[in-house]
Amino acid sequence: MRALLLLLVALLATPLSLAQTDPTVVTGRVIDGAGMPLPLVNVALVGTIDGTATDDAGRFDFGTRQQGDATLGASLIGFEPVEVPVTLVPGDTVRVDFRMRETLVTLGEVSIEGSAFRAGDAPTATLSALEVVTTPGAAADVYRALQAFPGVTMVDEGSGLFVRGGDVGETAILLDGAVLQHPYRYESATGGIFGTIPPFFLKDTYFSAGGFSARHGDALSGVVALETLDEPQQSSVTLNAGLAGAALGVNARLLDGKLGVRFSGNRSATGLLMAVNRLDTDFEETPGAYDTNLSVAYRYRPSGVVKFFSYRTENRVGARTPQPSFDGVYRATEENLLNVLRWQDVFGDWFLQGSLSATTFTSASSLGNLDLATDDTVLGGRFDAERSVTEKLRVATGAEVRRFAGRFRGAIPTESDVLDPDAATTSIDERANAVRTGGYALAEAQLSRRLFANVGLRTDYHTEAQQAVLDPRAALRLQLTEDAHLHVAGGRYSQFPSPEQFDSNSGGSADLGAQQAVHLIAGGEYQRKHLRLRVEGYWKQYDNLLVRVPDANSEFGTRWANDGTGLARGIDVFAQYGAFLRTRFNGWLSYSLLRSERTQTRWQGDTATLDDGPAPFDVTHHLTAVGKVRMWRFLTVGTTLRLATGRPHTPILDAQQAAPMSTGGGYFLPVEGPVGSERLPTFSRVDFSASWYQPFGNGHGATFYVSLANALGQRNVLGYDYSADYATRTARRSDYDRFVYAGVTLELVRR
């Protein structure tokens, strides 16, 4: 690692001795046909990546080291693009004013699917990287920020994405086309505490809560597709220090902007943070982690770029975890390494892109008699091609393959609820291997002046299931006006079991197939300037869901089977105004109404039955309000309010004493009531944040920030803990009343 840092520092020094000529300043203003200023217009030198977006007054200003004759272009959805020739002389200022005419919406400007949001640094982005790090309560985490969007339920204080009544595992997360097998840090049944990818490495995030096109498969509920940044536009060094650790970031712009390197190293040491917030006594070993991220991008021609992205994380924690049968310390370590090679280019009428990826993950966890180690490796490849056949027809096709190889070994409790170190265990040493291949074809067409369609077909095959699925999907969009549209979408979605669920040695079954869901979505949207309003209703029918069913021949008494069904329906509302740093105020309001049912396993002592009831993550009402105000030029304050109905809870009505030979002691097994027949209390939380940016020197700056999570000290009930005989229960509440965090980021820029 030290050698890598020295290499990056050397690379950073390289451009400091190159291109000593002064840049050309390109400035001007963009107005519409009526003479009104146009904000958020993309103004750039054609064939280069030099450019910017106009401000609220329609003005733009950027520097470039390009020289000689060039073409300056301006583009904005809903307006005809404009290009003018310019001559660039080092040290000069070139002024160009544009007048843009409105035009009809065309196929290339329309997204024809349901429930989709884009988040990135583009002018039309819903959630930029700056929005992520400045959203109170998001903790600079992409997934936590997405929890503030409609259709996503926040079930605890982690970052898991539960989409429209679905489990966290029903949302696929991709990075540069590669599926992230382990997208969370400190993994748990509800996802994890944080995501693994820093927001400032991302240029675009696509999120869909349903009705997504045939491009994406093996996901029942949602898709998050992350795209990493291309080569940096300037060289810089960023230093960050806070209560939870420190970080170093380096951006190096090389070879006249064709080659660039990004690197970051982060070391989390939460001892000080826990002590400040009086949480240090809750951990035998406070959470600690480090991660390194490396991105190399080479633009070998204006349309072609090759990117390599690599990250490595290591996390460890030791926390006291009370259980009915045992009050002990849960210890866990994780190591996660991902490498992705991405390529994209244009050849003739075709836009082509592909990726190769390799992921390795190791973990070890222990609690009482549970002692489990996991190792898995995932290799993947993907290729996509698309072209416009005519101005009104675009086609796309693609294929992907993923190979999973894993090993699971250690000891697990024979009785799932009995974790006493003296209780009986079952030894396991399993290897799981599986290959999934998939492909798709779709067509997007402009059927009339206002009507657009997307029709696609996807197929996937899984070697362990020995099953191929065929999923048709379609969407329509009716453009009512330039600012408003209606849309409908629907189709079938399939997801295969994880490889280890096929192994009978751990309660799995070789006779498993794909889980399926049918989506029907209808909604409308209005967007103009800084205002965006969206309403959407959905209906999602599940079939062949995996559930644990009784099996007398299994050592565990149950096995996995495709015997579950489910239904989720609801309404999502989203209202957004402004953009961070572009308007004095910006924020959004998100509301979700959800009703869902699902087949679940109901334990009654040492026997199990299937029961239908509210889905475990059926949060009926979920309201999130985010607001940020720029008080003065460099001071921004913000708040996030979350209010949600308590999620369903299955009560324990009685207990059954287990046979000594079954568990090795006089333990009790729970007798559960009807699944989901109770609900936790209402969840509420208010977070505040403030940041102050202080520029200095030639483009350098320092940002001071402070946040207060759970400002009102609400101790939300996240579940219940039971006594050893299950006779009494106590509420398991939030880990903290209030949580303070503070730090400073220093950015040094080479212009």
Side-chain angles (χ1 to χ4, degrees), residues 319-323 326-331 365-372 413 419-421:
R320 184 159 297 280
T321 308
Q323 298 289 324
F326 174 66
D327 185 4
V329 176
Y330 173 76
R331 299 186 183 277
S365 57
S366 63
L367 175 60
N369 61 357
L370 171 69
D371 188 3
L372 190 62
L419 294 165
D420 191 294

Side-chain angles (χ1 to χ4, degrees), residues 717-729:
V717 177
L718 305 179
Y720 294 103
D721 295 321
Y722 289 85
S723 61
D725 60 357
Y726 293 93
T728 60
R729 75 178 186 185

Side-chain angles (χ1 to χ4, degrees), residues 132-133 138-146 159 184 193-197 199:
V132 172
V133 299
D141 184 82
V142 176
Y143 306 153
R144 287 173 177 254
L146 287 176
S159 60
Y184 299 98
I193 300 179
F194 297 107
T196 53
I197 308 300

Side-chain angles (χ1 to χ4, degrees), residues 476-664:
L476 288 173
R477 171 168 167 153
L478 178 62
Q479 199 72 34
L480 300 177
T481 68
E482 178 191 340
D483 306 316
H485 75 262
L486 301 176
H487 61 265
V488 295
R492 186 165 60 206
Y493 298 82
S494 302
Q495 183 172 350
F496 290 101
S498 58
E500 64 271 16
Q501 290 176 312
F502 289 94
D503 195 311
S504 59
N505 293 326
S506 61
S509 173
D511 187 24
L512 294 178
Q515 306 172 93
Q516 293 187 328
V518 174
H519 296 193
L520 294 176
I521 295 168
E525 183 171 334
Y526 174 85
Q527 184 172 2
R528 186 171 186 180
K529 285 190 175 181
H530 299 302
L531 177 64
R532 182 179 186 181
L533 304 174
R534 182 177 185 138
V535 179
E536 194 168 70
Y538 61 90
W539 181 89
K540 181 167 57 174
Q541 177 74 56
Y542 289 102
D543 199 11
N544 297 329
L545 290 176
L546 287 179
V547 291
R548 305 289 299 187
V549 299
D551 186 353
N553 296 321
S554 171
E555 183 177 2
F556 300 89
T558 61
R559 60 177 174 83
W560 288 109
N562 290 104
D563 289 355
T565 60
L567 176 65
R569 63 275 193 205
I571 298 174
D572 291 334
V573 180
F574 183 72
Q576 182 185 33
Y577 176 79
F580 186 68
L581 295 181
R582 295 176 183 163
T583 56
R584 187 174 183 83
F585 169 82
N586 80 289
W588 64 89
L589 181 70
S590 168
Y591 168 75
S592 295
L593 171 65
L594 169 68
R595 291 289 189 182
S596 62
E597 299 85 36
R598 203 176 181 106
T599 304
Q600 300 160 66
T601 305
R602 178 182 177 186
W603 290 92
Q604 295 176 300
D606 57 1
T607 62
T609 59
L610 296 184
D611 196 4
D612 290 326
F617 312 110
D618 174 58
V619 175
T620 308
H621 303 282
H622 190 189
L623 175 68
T624 303
V626 179
K628 307 170 196 176
V629 180
R630 195 169 68 243
M631 304 294 292
W632 290 281
R633 185 178 180 187
F634 300 120
L635 175 63
T636 300
V637 298
T639 183
T640 296
L641 165 67
R642 302 179 190 270
L643 186 64
T645 306
R647 58 187 177 92
H649 169 72
T650 299
I652 296 177
L653 305 180
D654 201 353
Q656 178 186 96
Q657 186 154 8
M661 63 182 303
S662 170
T663 61

Side-chain angles (χ1 to χ4, degrees), residues 147-296:
Q147 287 176 343
F149 278 58
V152 184
T153 300
M154 183 177 179
V155 303
D156 56 18
E157 292 174 330
S159 60
L161 299 177
F162 294 83
V163 176
R164 291 180 171 173
D167 186 83
V168 67
E170 295 178 14
T171 295
I173 300 177
L174 299 85
L175 178 72
D176 286 343
V179 177
L180 297 182
Q181 183 74 14
H182 301 278
Y184 299 98
R185 297 184 186 182
Y186 307 105
E187 286 191 330
S188 66
T190 57
I193 300 179
F194 297 107
T196 53
I197 308 300
F200 279 115
F201 270 87
L202 303 175
K203 73 172 181 180
D204 190 30
T205 299
Y206 163 89
F207 167 64
S208 176
F212 43 92
S213 74
R215 297 178 191 272
H216 303 292
D218 206 39
L220 287 179
S221 291
V223 169
V224 177
L226 310 172
E227 295 285 340
T228 57
L229 288 165
D230 295 332
E231 68 276 15
Q233 301 307 298
Q234 59 187 11
S235 298
S236 64
V237 175
T238 302
L239 302 172
N240 179 75
L243 293 179
L248 166 69
V250 177
N251 290 339
R253 185 175 185 264
L254 310 172
L255 297 183
D256 197 24
K258 292 183 178 181
L259 175 66
V261 176
R262 301 176 189 272
F263 170 80
S264 75
N266 305 282
R267 181 67 174 95
S268 298
T270 58
L272 177 61
L273 179 69
M274 298 297 176
V276 169
N277 291 279
R278 300 180 181 179
L279 291 177
D280 50 326
T281 58
D282 295 343
F283 294 90
E284 295 287 329
E285 181 179 0
T286 57
Y290 79 83
D291 66 79
T292 55
N293 299 268
L294 174 66
S295 174
V296 181

Side-chain angles (χ1 to χ4, degrees), residues 361-385:
F361 177 81
T362 62
S363 69
S365 57
S366 63
L367 175 60
N369 61 357
L370 171 69
D371 188 3
L372 190 62
T374 301
D375 303 275
D376 63 53
T377 300
V378 181
L379 304 177
R382 182 182 177 107
F383 179 79
D384 298 89

Side-chain angles (χ1 to χ4, degrees), residues 416-488:
S416 61
D417 293 301
V418 180
L419 294 165
D420 191 294
D422 297 327
T425 61
T426 299
S427 297
I428 60 172
D429 191 350
E430 307 167 8
R431 297 181 184 272
N433 296 275
V435 177
R436 179 181 66 84
T437 56
Y440 72 90
L442 62 84
E444 296 181 336
Q446 184 172 358
L447 303 180
S448 69
R449 183 171 178 267
R450 298 180 180 273
L451 186 62
F452 304 83
N454 179 323
V455 179
L457 185 64
R458 181 175 184 91
T459 182
D460 288 277
Y461 176 79
H462 195 277
T463 56
E464 289 296 296
Q466 297 183 11
Q467 177 190 10
V469 295
L470 199 62
D471 295 336
R473 302 172 191 176
L476 288 173
R477 171 168 167 153
L478 178 62
Q479 199 72 34
L480 300 177
T481 68
E482 178 191 340
D483 306 316
H485 75 262
L486 301 176
H487 61 265
V488 295

